[in-house]
Amino acid sequence: MFIILQNKDPIIIFDKLIYLTMKTPFNKFLYIGFMLLGSYQAFFSKDYMQAVASLGIALAFDPFNTEQKWNERPKWQKAVLIIHLALVAAMFAFGIGLNDK
């Protein structure tokens, strides 16, 4: 990006920012954030349905390599995501059971 001043000399702005890359994907921060929010809602607020929503949204932000296909992932990454999904489903059933009075 160039800005030309009144004396017609161009100034280069943001030429080095183009090459900067994040070492930690933003998805990891969102995943951890929604996990912490869901844990807070479940354990401190006792609002299990909101916790289920937050923990379910956390699954949308894959904390691992997002460019890697499911079949190429290590088994431990698959296990983490499947166990997370199972816990969200169990908490959903638990939340419905508590509200069924």
Side-chain angles (χ1 to χ4, degrees), residues 6-100:
Q6 290 179 353
N7 60 3
K8 309 288 185 195
D9 292 331
I11 296 176
I12 299 173
I13 298 176
F14 303 123
D15 63 336
K16 294 181 182 177
L17 292 178
I18 295 171
Y19 302 107
L20 294 177
T21 58
M22 292 178 54
K23 294 183 180 180
T24 304
F26 194 62
N27 285 354
K28 288 183 183 180
F29 294 120
L30 289 173
Y31 180 80
I32 292 170
F34 276 106
M35 289 290 292
L36 292 173
L37 178 62
S39 300
Y40 172 78
Q41 289 169 336
F43 297 120
F44 297 109
S45 299
K46 305 292 185 199
D47 190 358
Y48 298 109
M49 296 308 285
Q50 285 294 321
V52 166
S54 296
L55 293 172
I57 291 171
L59 278 171
F61 301 105
D62 189 1
F64 305 114
N65 185 4
T66 56
E67 296 176 5
Q68 190 175 24
K69 294 182 181 179
W70 179 258
N71 293 334
E72 298 172 354
R73 289 180 185 244
K75 289 182 182 180
W76 70 270
Q77 289 182 1
K78 291 180 186 179
V80 166
L81 294 173
I82 290 172
I83 290 170
H84 183 156
L85 180 63
L87 290 173
V88 168
M91 190 178 286
F92 180 70
F94 181 70
I96 288 177
L98 285 179
N99 290 329
D100 187 30

